[in-house]
Each structure stands twice: as C-alpha cells, then as structure tokens.
Amino acid sequence: MLPFNVWAQSLWETLYMVIVSTVISYAIGLPLGLTLVVTDKGGIRPMPVVNTVLGVVVNILRSIPFLILAVMITPITRAIVGKAIGTTAMIVPLTFAAAPYVARMVESSIKEVPFGVIEAAQSMGASPWQIVWKVLVPEAKPSLMVGGAISVVTILGYSAMAGFIGGGGLGTVAVNYGYNRYNFPIMLVAVIIIVIVVQIFQEVGMRLAHHLDKRNR
C-alpha cells in the first residue's frame, strides 16, 4: 500500500483542481447562462443572433468528451500555464469542459423562476440589470446551489479522468499505481476516497440549498 503522504498529496491535488476550476467555471458560466436566459426569445432582452451563437458554442464544447477536449486544447493550455501536464495545467481543460456545463445549469435554474415575478419587477420599473441580479438570481438561489453541487461532482469526475493524461490527483494514483500495476486494492482505495469526497460536496450543496429554500419562504 502507498504511504499516507502520497494519498494526502493526491487528495490535495484533486481538491485544488476541483475547487479552482469550479470557481473559474462559475465566473465564466454564470454570466454566460444569464445571457442565454436574457437573450432568449422569451427573455427580458431578446437577441436571437447572440442567443443562437452562444448556444451553439456551449453545445459544441459540451459535446466533446473531456479527454479528447484536453488533448485538443493542449496548445492553449501550454500558452496559459507554460506546460500541458500537471495539476495546474489540468485546470485549463477542466474549465473549458465545465464552464459550458455550468452555463446550462444556470440557464435551467433561472428559467425555473416564475414569469410573474419578472412581470412584477418590470411593472415597478426595474431595469434588465436589476431584474437579473436583484430578482432572478436571488429567486433561483436554491436551484443554483443544487446545480453547483452537481457541477462540482461532474468536475470531480473530470479530474479523475485527467489522471490518464498526467493530471495528478487521485486519478493519477488510481491509474499509475493501481491500473498500470494491476494493484486492485490501490485502485479501490482511490475510488473510495473519491466517492467520499463526492458525498461531502453533494451533502454540503444540498444542505445549503435547503437552507436557502427555507429562507426564501
């Protein structure tokens, strides 16, 4: 079995990749998802061309399997980070893969807000900017939090796959020390740790969503 410090380092690398890429993905995906809602044909500021172009870009990026996407954007990763492998380098393809996913999650959450709430805000003279940030986002917080938990779990899954291309973390331990060396116990321990981390993120996200939902009532 591997020393404790190897497991601790791989866990830290996984958390580092997931947390940083999640933050960056939401910094990109949240405004992108809001734009998709606002510019939709039934949105508060319809822009069919903008909505169609953004929708196509999001759908294309979401359609590419993560490992293929990571290899495809290697030149971009190297230009941004200076290298194509390693924990920090994997944040770039993780963000490319997760941001469109986050955008669709945000779009879905925002569209759950009753249209009557938007009409009420418009009748009071609220601007589109005010409707988005003071009405839509606050009303959709519980759903956004659930979507955030799901997004983190998805990104965690991507980070595990990154182990096949030198991404570091628990995925690399499972591949290099488990799969390649036919050491099933190591692979099993890596999987168990990943499952535990997933459950923790999922539980925290759901509890926050439940708390926000009660406050909105």
Side-chain angles (χ1 to χ4, degrees):
M1 191 59 67
L2 295 174
F4 174 78
N5 66 309
V6 175
W7 289 110
Q9 178 66 24
S10 63
L11 176 59
W12 160 247
E13 289 175 351
T14 295
L15 293 176
Y16 168 68
M17 282 191 292
V18 171
I19 292 172
V20 175
S21 58
T22 298
V23 171
I24 299 174
S25 295
Y26 262 87
I28 299 171
L30 179 60
L32 184 57
L34 291 171
T35 302
L36 286 170
V37 174
V38 171
T39 60
D40 195 14
K41 61 181 180 181
I44 56 178
R45 188 61 66 87
M47 296 181 184
V49 175
V50 174
N51 187 271
T52 300
V53 172
L54 289 179
V56 169
V57 172
V58 167
N59 289 337
I60 289 174
L61 289 175
R62 286 187 61 200
S63 301
I64 304 174
F66 173 72
L67 290 178
I68 297 175
L69 177 65
V71 174
M72 282 178 57
I73 66 170
T74 295
I76 299 175
T77 302
R78 189 175 286 112
I80 295 174
V81 183
K83 56 183 179 180
I85 61 173
T87 305
T88 301
M90 282 302 108
I91 292 174
V92 177
L94 282 172
T95 302
F96 267 81
Y101 182 82
V102 169
R104 286 302 186 192
M105 294 294 289
V106 170
E107 180 187 19
S108 177
S109 296
I110 297 297
K111 284 186 174 181
E112 291 178 7
V113 177
F115 190 71
V117 176
I118 300 173
E119 289 181 322
Q122 289 175 329
S123 67
M124 290 186 289
S127 66
W129 178 265
Q130 291 173 322
I131 292 173
V132 169
W133 293 108
K134 294 185 178 181
V135 178
L136 293 179
V137 172
E139 286 289 327
K141 272 184 181 179
S143 180
L144 287 171
M145 193 59 64
V146 173
I150 296 172
S151 298
V152 170
V153 171
T154 301
I155 295 171
L156 184 59
Y158 290 159
S159 73
M161 286 189 282
F164 282 93
I165 51 177
L170 292 167
T172 294
V173 170
V175 172
N176 293 344
Y177 296 98
Y179 178 77
N180 291 338
R181 300 183 185 184
Y182 303 99
N183 194 326
F184 180 76
I186 288 180
M187 221 170 16
L188 180 61
V189 171
V191 170
I192 290 173
I193 295 175
I194 291 173
V195 170
I196 292 172
V197 173
V198 166
Q199 293 303 314
I200 292 173
F201 277 122
Q202 190 77 32
E203 185 65 20
V204 171
M206 292 304 176
R207 285 182 179 273
L208 286 174
H210 182 65
H211 176 69
L212 290 171
D213 194 33
K214 287 198 299 185
R215 285 181 56 187
N216 284 351
R217 292 176 188 174

